[in-house]
Amino acid sequence: LNPKPSRLSVDMERTFIAVKPDGVQRGLIGEIIKRFETRGFKLVASKFMKASEDFMKTHYLDLKDMPFYAGLCKYMSSGPVFAMVWEGQNIVKLVRMMLGETNPADSKPGSIRGDLCINIGRNIIHGSDTLENAKREVGLWFKAEEFVEWTPCAQPFLYE
Ligand code: IDP
Ligand code: MG
């Protein structure tokens, strides 16, 4: 359904990232986007939106048996989120490393959660954990026409 990642000499991947309602309220959208931009990843889709509780239940379906599932879905639909799709070589894994651990208390300084938040239930950002989930989440959050096709001028300096 989604347009294919740009054709380059390297295999490109796409991942889904969202600044959660706590990150939005704390004014961290710019700081978070900056980290992915300066890493060299390419933004291919984004939108500022409020998700419904049912939508968040679908997004987090894997966690439906966890005790925090209901509260998580309620929280994630309580205010606006900034949803994005980013592209790059090995991006799913690299973004997860940039996020830090699920619990900010276990996240190293230098990671997004390790630098910017404190509590596991208010960890400011979502990033897909596997390529398979990335594909599912990208397709859940974005329609084909929401993707922007473009070639960043830095591409030959980021990839051999
Ligand atoms: P992830 O966001 O690092 O992939 P998941 O295990 O997929 O972590 O959990 C999804 C989200 O659920 C977490 O980012 C966090 O906001 C919330 N969460 C996870 N574990 C707990 C918990 O023990 N208490 C409260 N919220 C939790
Ligand atoms: Mg997860």
Side-chain angles (χ1 to χ4, degrees):
L1 254 175
N2 302 310
K4 289 269 184 309
S6 320
R7 233 185 307 278
L8 277 177
S9 56
V10 292
D11 286 335
M12 286 297 160
E13 284 179 4
R14 287 179 171 187
T15 196
F16 173 71
I17 298 172
V19 181
K20 296 180 176 182
D22 46 336
V24 172
Q25 291 292 346
R26 291 182 52 213
L28 295 172
I29 295 173
E31 166 69 28
I32 286 169
I33 289 177
K34 178 173 159 270
R35 292 188 179 226
F36 301 120
E37 262 191 319
T38 53
R39 184 80 192 253
F41 296 135
K42 174 186 166 185
L43 183 64
V44 292
S46 72
K47 58 184 165 186
F48 186 54
M49 59 173 282
K50 212 164 140 180
S52 71
E53 201 172 329
D54 279 349
F55 184 83
M56 290 316 307
K57 283 182 178 164
T58 305
H59 170 82
Y60 279 127
L61 201 60
D62 292 357
L63 299 175
K64 65 177 179 349
D65 297 325
M66 303 303 279
F68 55 83
Y69 177 68
L72 171 66
C73 296
K74 206 176 185 70
Y75 182 65
M76 286 293 293
S77 56
S78 69
V81 297
F82 196 79
M84 299 168 271
V85 181
W86 288 82
E87 185 180 297
Q89 186 178 28
N90 208 17
I91 192 171
V92 175
K93 181 185 163 201
L94 295 183
V95 164
R96 288 293 292 195
M97 292 177 74
M98 289 171 76
L99 297 200
E101 302 300 320
T102 300
N103 190 345
D106 299 326
S107 302
K108 292 200 176 77
S111 66
I112 292 169
R113 286 167 175 164
D115 285 347
L116 303 173
C117 56
I118 298 167
N119 181 273
I120 192 167
R122 296 290 183 269
N123 62 4
I124 71 167
I125 183 167
H126 169 84
S128 309
D129 60 351
T130 61
L131 189 57
E132 188 190 350
N133 279 336
K135 285 178 181 157
R136 184 181 76 85
E137 291 170 5
V138 166
L140 178 66
W141 286 79
F142 287 92
K143 299 190 190 91
E145 60 266 29
E146 292 177 299
F147 292 85
V148 178
E149 255 181 73
W150 66 296
T151 306
C153 63
Q155 252 179 22
F157 302 96
L158 287 160
Y159 300 105
E160 191 178 6

